[in-house]
Amino acid sequence: MNAELKSAHLFFDAAHWIAWSSPYLAALALFAGVVWARRERKRARLVKEALFDRVTVEVVPTSTFDPGEGEIGRWARQLGRVHHAAGGVPARGSAARLRYSAEDSKMRCFLEGPAAAAAVLAMPGFAEVEVRAQRAQKGIQPVRFPVPVQREGAK
């Protein structure tokens, strides 16, 4: 009988704790939902910006192009770096895309990716392949460093 009373006492203690803490648990759940929604909104905005601003380069092989297994592996690792070069953009927005088209009986290969990774996309991956930029590069912006302020009494 003592064990039954102990079990009932534990049950009522748990019920009392749940009733006492329910407003706090509800506030915590609401706060967690707001944090999650903001993070998802920020992530969606980053993806949208990255998908809107993409760079396309054309990959043109020579007539003697015959890559070896090592070259193919090296190029695959280079394409894997596109995501890391995009810096902070979620995977959905920083993916590289290979696109093939046939125009005038000639097959063309395009490599597309985020603008933040344009330098990685423009690197030649094979010895006998030329990489051509599809859109004009923006003007080079000079880097300006602020002039350090000297404090009084400093030499």
Side-chain angles (χ1 to χ4, degrees):
M1 178 124 168
N2 194 13
E4 290 177 5
L5 287 175
K6 197 172 189 177
S7 298
H9 186 53
L10 286 174
F11 174 75
F12 287 120
D13 283 346
H16 175 70
W17 183 84
I18 290 171
W20 176 81
S21 63
S22 62
Y24 301 107
L25 292 174
L28 180 65
L30 181 65
F31 178 73
V34 168
V35 168
W36 176 79
R38 280 188 174 194
R39 195 173 92 208
E40 286 299 311
R41 184 180 298 158
K42 181 181 178 184
R43 181 183 170 279
R45 183 180 48 81
L46 286 172
V47 167
K48 185 177 178 181
E49 289 172 1
L51 290 175
F52 181 73
D53 190 24
R54 293 181 65 84
V55 175
T56 303
V57 296
E58 184 177 5
V59 182
V60 183
T62 62
S63 60
T64 59
F65 176 65
D66 187 21
E69 195 173 309
E71 282 184 299
I72 294 171
R74 187 176 66 239
W75 193 58
R77 285 188 295 280
Q78 178 179 330
L79 288 180
R81 291 186 192 115
V82 170
H83 170 70
H84 300 292
V89 177
R92 182 175 164 218
S94 65
R97 177 193 305 175
L98 278 172
R99 191 178 42 170
Y100 294 94
S101 69
E103 296 173 8
D104 300 326
S105 300
K106 291 185 180 181
M107 189 167 171
R108 298 175 71 187
C109 178
F110 298 97
L111 181 59
E112 181 181 304
V120 175
L121 293 170
M123 288 174 31
F126 298 103
E128 296 181 23
V129 171
E130 179 185 352
V131 179
R132 297 179 187 161
Q134 290 296 314
R135 84 175 163 172
Q137 298 290 330
K138 296 178 183 175
I140 298 173
Q141 300 294 323
V143 177
R144 305 213 187 272
F145 296 99
V147 177
V149 179
Q150 290 189 356
R151 298 181 190 164
E152 292 182 30
K155 292 185 180 182

